[in-house]
Amino acid sequence: MNPQSISDTWQHGDPYERYIGRWSRRIAPLFLTWLDLPEHLRWVDVGCGTGALSAAIADTCLPRSLIGVEPSDGFLAAAIRNLGDRTVLKPGNAASLPLNDGAADAVVSGLVLNFIPDVPAALAEMLRITSNGGTIAAYVWDYADQMEIIRLFWDTVVSLDPGAANLHEAERFPLCNESALRAAFEAAGLTEVATIALNLSAEFTDFDDYWTPFLGGQGPAPGYVVSLPEGRRTALRDALSSRLAPAHGAFSLSAGTWAVRGIKRGKAIPEFDQ
């Protein structure tokens, strides 16, 4: 396999949980605290993955209803295991959401937007299913700066193989910064657009705690690792170890995101219980 042309892989929930899921579950509550939306809303989680954001919504927001939409069969199966009956889960993708117009009061997406091929089309779909006055919001990793778990991996890759620079996620995903997210939401016609940096500290017990999840093959960086021949994989491991944990002990890295939110134009229509 040519590592210069690797494709993203998002199919198996357990390796993803060990790689990024353990950090995404800690980011989700920070995102919801920032949104500070009222209780008893109709929520939709676009690209719900293994269920990190949906679980946080179910635990803290007292939703009137909660629907998760996910294109990956493997991730959808993991979400079903993780969420049980707390969420209605549907197969589907962001460009064609299996929901009626105005079906939600809050449409959110966690760590997904940059992987969607047509972001304007996805935002248009989110707008379609959002009620007038409803909220659309998302967050993505800050690959160029505060997502050190991934940024330092790619910085090390490129130091060993300059030809892999185009694979660096900071290069691949220019959407993942404050100005680009704001511009995308404003171009979609959302109002009151706001952004914030949400960061946490990711603690690793030792270097293997950091490195082993990259062997699971889920996501761009792990996909690159498993594409390498054994000798180059070992060289990468040794270079990362020397850079991140020269004393072979515990260490911490930042895991940072950019979040964005906006409001759908239009006067909210009051709802009355029948």
Side-chain angles (χ1 to χ4, degrees):
M1 185 177 190
N2 179 4
Q4 309 307 318
S5 60
I6 60 170
S7 60
D8 302 332
T9 302
W10 302 108
Q11 287 296 328
H12 303 293
D14 290 343
Y16 171 83
E17 287 290 330
R18 291 190 290 271
Y19 170 49
I20 288 297
R22 53 180 169 167
W23 315 121
S24 65
R25 290 184 180 280
R26 289 175 53 192
I27 284 285
L30 302 180
F31 172 67
L32 296 175
T33 297
W34 175 62
L35 289 184
D36 192 26
L37 295 178
E39 299 173 352
H40 308 303
L41 298 182
R42 299 169 299 165
W43 289 76
V44 173
D45 181 2
V46 177
C48 67
T50 59
L53 180 52
S54 287
I57 293 167
D59 288 343
T60 64
C61 297
L62 290 178
R64 173 179 166 184
S65 63
L66 174 56
I67 297 172
V69 180
E70 170 57 42
S72 162
D73 291 341
F75 275 23
L76 200 59
I80 291 170
R81 291 195 303 271
N82 292 333
L83 295 166
D85 60 0
R86 295 186 295 166
T87 306
V88 175
L89 295 166
K90 296 176 178 286
N93 64 72
S96 182
L97 296 170
L99 295 160
N100 294 330
D101 295 359
D105 307 306
V107 177
V108 293
S109 184
L111 308 177
V112 170
L113 213 57
N114 55 291
F115 290 103
I116 296 173
D118 190 340
V119 172
L123 290 175
E125 268 293 271
M126 294 181 195
L127 275 161
R128 180 185 65 79
I129 68 167
T130 303
S131 60
N132 290 341
T135 297
I136 297 175
Y139 56 99
V140 294
W141 292 122
D142 179 10
Y143 295 108
D145 191 7
Q146 288 302 306
M147 185 39 169
E148 288 185 325
I149 297 169
I150 294 175
R151 177 176 63 79
L152 293 177
F153 169 88
W154 285 115
D155 288 350
T156 305
V157 167
V158 174
S159 72
L160 297 174
D161 178 13
N166 64 311
L167 301 179
H168 198 306
E169 286 168 79
E171 177 72 19
R172 285 189 58 201
F173 301 129
L175 178 67
C176 297
N177 65 71
E178 182 179 19
S179 61
L181 288 171
R182 178 182 291 276
F185 269 51
E186 290 177 344
L190 289 155
T191 64
E192 301 179 39
V193 175
T195 58
I196 192 173
L198 300 171
N199 302 313
L200 58 83
S201 178
E203 298 81 20
F204 297 92
T205 57
D206 54 25
F207 179 73
D208 284 340
D209 187 28
Y210 171 84
W211 171 253
T212 302
F214 284 95
L215 304 179
Q218 296 301 292
Y224 175 84
V225 170
V226 300
S227 77
L228 294 173
E230 184 176 355
R232 290 181 61 190
R233 189 181 307 131
T234 298
L236 175 57
R237 183 193 186 282
D238 291 346
L240 279 164
S241 178
S242 176
R243 180 171 191 167
L244 297 176
H248 306 289
F251 62 96
S252 298
L253 298 173
S254 64
T257 65
W258 281 109
V260 60
R261 67 185 180 196
I263 304 298
K264 180 177 178 178
R265 297 177 188 271
K267 185 177 180 180
I269 300 174
E271 295 189 23
F272 302 94
D273 293 332
Q274 301 296 317

